[in-house]
Amino acid sequence: MLVIELKDLDKSYGAVKALKGLSLKVPKGSIFGLLGPNGAGKTTTLRILCTLLAPDTGEVSVAGFNALTDPRSVRQSLGYVAQEVAIDKILTGRELLELQGDLYHLRFEEKEGRIEELISKLEMEEWIDRRCGTYSGGMRRRLDLASGLLHQPQLLVLDEPTVGLDIESRSTIWQLLRELNDKGTTVLLSSHYLEEVEALSNQLAIIDAGKVIAQGSPEDLKRQLGGDRVTLKVREFSDKNESEAVRDLLKNLDGVRQVVINNAQGFSLNLVVDDENVLPHLREKLDRANFKVFALSHSRPSLDDVYLQATGRTLLDAELDVASKRDVKLESKKAMR
Amino acid sequence: MASSSSLLSPVVGYKGSLSDQIQETLALTRRLFIQLRRRPSTLIAGILQPLIWLILFGALFTNAPDIFLPGGMEYGRFLGAGVIVFTAFSGALNAGLPVMFDREFGFLNRLLVAPLCSRNSIVFASIIYITALSLLQSLAIMATAFVLGYGWPGLTGLLIVLVTLLLLVFAVTALSLGLAFALPGHIELIAVIFVANLPLLFASTALAPISYMPAWLGWLAAINPLTFAIEPIRAAYAGPLDLHLVLLHAPYGDVSGYGCLSVLIGLTIGLFLMIRPLLNRKLA
């Protein structure tokens, strides 16, 4: 059973196309990871399904409700923890939770009970009666998580829940998300941290340039990819010609499926091979052609490889690429209501 | 399912019980008052500034000849009504600022992602807050004016003063909230407030009667909404008030007390209707 179904979403901000026909299905009861570099369209997707933004075209169904015609039922069904935590610095954490409880129309006893429960679960006792303006990033995140959970939604949506957090806050949040999921809450989280998605989610979609490019369980995606990964450098800083020569040398070797030159990483070579038995042959071939081996690493495929396979670049390179082009100020202006 | 007959309710779909809507509106209002309690500087400045006006400006013409004002009225007494109205007006003009900051800091999104019965609750909370604040400031000015010997309107007079102020505050709050959603940021909003504030004061009957003004300024003062609030309050201060009496000798004709109030009612309704499509778009 699906708790979220997005069909062919298009969304533009002026000339910038944020989503290009994005479709997504989130099964009930999953911890679903939305993985992609900054600027891939993750936040836009989450804002659309939380009814903060209307798509230009496409269909949005959340918890069985049409988000475009029945947004209020959608809002009632989900808790949203935004990326940039907007809190009122003048209020105390407890006052903010009280406000949140009233906005979700909890009755007095229920509201007070839930607030106490969450304060203790998220270990906020010590500082919850201090003003929000004095909180650290981790405290704010916990408070925001508490306000998203106050009305016990069946779906919790988190945008980059642990970005910039200390280890302790991060593991508290991970622990809570797992507990919630065990009790039946569907969790949808976006992240550009591979480890986070790998550690938490049992289903994921990889988003790039406003589209879903792969979807499934992490294991399935890696298995579909097949083969082992080898990263090779014949010199610390090779040039293009040298790397091309090595590629031509290795690409027809038995057991080597693919050789890609990674320009962004000093023209290192990324190989997909059948298994570790290929490695001795590979060394031997390089030896015979008088190439030294500066670095050689071997690993099982990771989610980054899934991303690399689908887009031709690593997640890190995509991040760096976007970081230089992105106008965050303009984006927040566009997102203002 | 309850339905609301208020002017604003058709803006966005109304669903849920009335008690739910009251709960959310009160919670949003409470937030604004908590902010005020912890940061009282706006309230204090909002009371001090008109007091300074009253004391300094009131003293400015103390030695003017008796015929200076119609009926030989003392200038401080004449000025009192102007300062009361100006205080309420300035307060209401600032109503949009907290909303603008909520937009800019993203707190509004927190409200918009919640299943509010009606997003008008956000607007209602602002109106309740600003009205209470403006009335509080005005009462402080009235008390000071009394201490300074500029009189007290009496019980019926006080009622007229309150009704007049409420109408003005509603109208200006609507305008300010409209601006808070129409303008791109708080810098622009503050600029508009800055430009609108003093000229509207000078081009009204707050500081001098129309008979003192050159014809063109008299015309401006006679169509200035502040004038329609100032005159009934001034009359209420002058003695037992009959709203049938002519309170304003405008270049286009005489306006009675009822006339003044009708203009304010019309203005309030007009402004709320005007900002409706805007709120619809921004809060839908």
Side-chain angles (χ1 to χ4, degrees):
Chain A
M1 208 179 136
L2 297 177
V3 70
I4 297 174
E5 190 168 8
L6 307 178
K7 263 190 216 158
D8 301 324
L9 296 187
D10 274 349
K11 178 73 192 174
S12 300
Y13 301 107
V16 182
K17 285 201 118 193
L19 300 184
K20 299 171 196 158
L22 183 133
S23 297
L24 188 70
K25 288 176 181 174
V26 177
K28 202 174 167 65
S30 57
I31 298 188
F32 197 101
L34 213 51
L35 179 68
N38 276 318
K42 301 190 298 290
T43 298
T44 301
T45 307
L46 296 190
R47 291 173 70 92
I48 286 175
L49 67 90
C50 292
T51 76
L52 278 175
L53 207 60
D56 297 338
T57 55
E59 290 170 33
V60 186
S61 159
V62 179
F65 302 106
N66 183 333
L68 303 175
T69 56
D70 190 5
R72 196 167 166 247
S73 301
V74 171
R75 287 174 203 138
Q76 189 69 55
S77 322
L78 61 80
Y80 177 49
V81 182
Q83 185 174 5
E84 283 193 359
V85 195
I87 52 173
D88 188 327
K89 290 180 182 173
I90 306 293
L91 299 187
T92 67
R94 190 187 297 275
E95 285 163 346
L96 193 81
L97 292 177
E98 299 269 354
L99 170 67
Q100 198 81 17
D102 285 329
L103 296 183
Y104 284 84
H105 313 115
L106 301 185
R107 295 295 157 244
F108 185 77
E109 293 78 27
E110 189 191 1
K111 181 177 77 180
E112 297 304 312
R114 280 295 289 163
I115 289 176
E116 286 311 321
E117 192 184 329
L118 285 163
I119 287 175
S120 105
K121 181 163 274 180
L122 284 158
E123 296 164 19
M124 307 191 289
E125 295 92 343
E126 236 176 79
W127 42 266
I128 195 70
D129 290 308
R130 296 210 315 248
R131 290 191 199 179
C132 296
T134 65
Y135 292 177
S136 70
M139 290 158 142
R140 287 175 180 218
R141 264 290 131 118
R142 280 192 239 179
L143 178 63
D144 224 45
L145 200 56
S147 48
L149 288 171
L150 211 51
H151 64 295
Q152 296 182 288
Q154 53 166 305
L155 167 67
L156 184 66
V157 178
L158 307 107
D159 195 1
E160 305 270 2
T162 64
V163 72
L165 286 195
D166 57 284
I167 307 267
E168 196 196 338
S169 296
R170 181 153 134 160
S171 60
T172 308
I173 288 175
W174 282 12
Q175 183 57 32
L176 180 79
L177 294 182
R178 289 197 186 102
E179 273 173 35
L180 282 168
N181 185 245
D182 285 342
K183 289 188 189 144
T185 309
T186 307
V187 177
L188 171 64
L189 64 105
S190 80
S191 185
H192 62 281
Y193 292 148
L194 286 163
E195 324 82 84
E196 181 156 76
V197 173
E198 291 235 51
L200 281 177
S201 50
N202 42 37
Q203 290 284 315
L204 78 119
I206 298 180
I207 297 194
D208 189 64
K211 266 191 281 206
V212 171
I213 51 173
Q215 180 167 355
S217 72
E219 296 71 33
D220 282 347
L221 287 175
K222 289 187 232 168
R223 200 176 312 129
Q224 278 166 25
L225 207 56
D228 285 6
R229 295 295 176 278
V230 171
T231 307
L232 169 70
K233 279 184 172 186
V234 291
R235 211 199 297 229
E236 186 168 10
F237 299 105
S238 295
D239 59 24
K240 197 169 176 224
N241 292 337
E242 187 174 43
S243 290
E244 278 171 0
V246 178
R247 181 187 62 193
D248 294 341
L249 181 73
L250 297 179
K251 70 181 178 194
N252 295 323
L253 187 71
D254 257 4
V256 173
R257 300 184 191 176
Q258 190 188 14
V259 185
V260 176
I261 297 175
N262 190 339
N263 296 349
Q265 299 292 326
F267 297 103
S268 67
L269 293 130
N270 296 337
L271 289 76
V272 179
V273 300
D274 287 345
D275 49 40
E276 61 267 32
N277 298 332
V278 181
L279 293 179
H281 302 295
L282 196 141
R283 280 182 177 276
E284 194 186 315
K285 187 123 188 179
L286 286 170
D287 240 13
R288 241 185 274 147
N290 277 330
F291 282 116
K292 292 205 166 28
V293 175
F294 175 76
L296 184 124
S297 66
H298 165 241
S299 60
R300 315 290 306 172
S302 69
L303 284 180
D304 204 17
D305 294 315
V306 177
Y307 183 79
L308 179 69
Q309 180 72 25
T311 64
R313 56 184 183 167
T314 65
L315 204 51
L316 181 70
D317 294 334
E319 289 283 316
L320 292 173
D321 189 32
V322 168
S324 58
K325 290 181 195 154
R326 211 172 170 193
D327 187 347
V328 179
K329 239 180 172 173
L330 180 77
E331 281 172 32
S332 77
K333 202 88 190 161
K334 296 262 188 212
M336 209 170 107
R337 297 276 287 217
Chain B
M1 294 281 162
S3 73
S4 165
S5 59
S6 86
L7 194 61
L8 271 169
S9 62
V11 170
V12 276
Y14 181 85
K15 271 201 230 164
S17 73
L18 188 62
S19 77
D20 282 354
Q21 180 157 28
I22 291 173
Q23 186 182 10
E24 66 197 29
T25 306
L26 287 185
L28 291 166
T29 313
R30 192 179 314 124
R31 170 180 169 234
L32 295 171
F33 277 105
I34 294 175
Q35 287 178 337
L36 178 69
R37 201 176 68 221
R38 302 213 174 124
R39 268 193 314 206
S41 50
T42 37
L43 177 64
I44 295 168
I47 290 177
L48 274 184
Q49 192 214 26
L51 282 188
I52 295 168
W53 275 91
L54 196 62
I55 293 166
L56 292 185
F57 223 89
L60 196 60
F61 297 105
T62 313
N63 295 330
D66 277 354
I67 49 149
F68 182 65
L69 284 172
M73 195 192 243
E74 205 181 333
Y75 187 70
R77 186 178 280 253
F78 178 86
L79 182 67
V83 173
I84 292 168
V85 167
F86 181 60
T87 307
F89 169 73
S90 310
L93 201 55
N94 286 316
L97 270 177
V99 174
M100 178 59 97
F101 284 125
D102 279 353
R103 278 181 69 205
E104 287 186 321
F105 291 128
F107 198 85
L108 187 65
N109 283 338
R110 182 189 283 277
L111 309 182
L112 294 182
V113 90
L116 299 181
C117 295
S118 160
R119 288 171 166 191
N120 293 323
S121 303
I122 300 169
V123 177
F124 290 148
S126 285
I127 293 176
I128 294 172
Y129 169 72
I130 286 297
T131 306
L133 199 62
S134 299
L135 290 186
L136 196 69
Q137 289 175 356
S138 303
L139 285 174
I141 307 309
M142 290 170 75
T144 313
F146 176 71
V147 171
L148 290 173
Y150 299 149
W152 180 258
L155 210 60
T156 19
L158 192 62
L159 195 69
I160 301 277
V161 173
L162 289 182
V163 169
T164 311
L165 288 183
L166 277 180
L167 286 171
L168 182 73
V169 168
F170 284 164
V172 180
T173 302
L175 180 71
S176 184
L177 289 174
L179 288 172
F181 282 108
L183 296 174
H186 72 274
I187 303 282
E188 290 81 1
L189 182 59
I190 289 173
V192 171
I193 292 174
F194 202 69
V195 166
N197 223 342
L198 285 184
L200 271 167
L201 174 72
F202 290 130
S204 76
T205 57
L207 308 177
I210 286 187
S211 55
Y212 282 27
M213 301 177 189
W216 62 270
L217 187 58
W219 266 100
L220 283 182
I223 54 168
N224 183 343
L226 293 190
T227 298
F228 295 102
I230 291 166
E231 291 308 323
I233 292 178
R234 185 167 286 150
Y237 263 84
L241 173 63
D242 182 358
L243 286 173
H244 290 97
L245 291 180
V246 170
L247 299 184
L248 178 66
H249 299 285
Y252 49 76
D254 292 342
V255 185
S256 70
Y258 281 121
C260 288
L261 293 184
S262 305
V263 168
L264 290 179
I265 293 172
L267 184 74
T268 307
I269 295 175
L271 281 170
F272 271 108
L273 289 178
M274 220 172 81
I275 66 165
R276 248 178 64 162
L278 188 71
L279 295 181
N280 237 340
R281 206 169 61 236
K282 295 284 184 169
L283 291 179

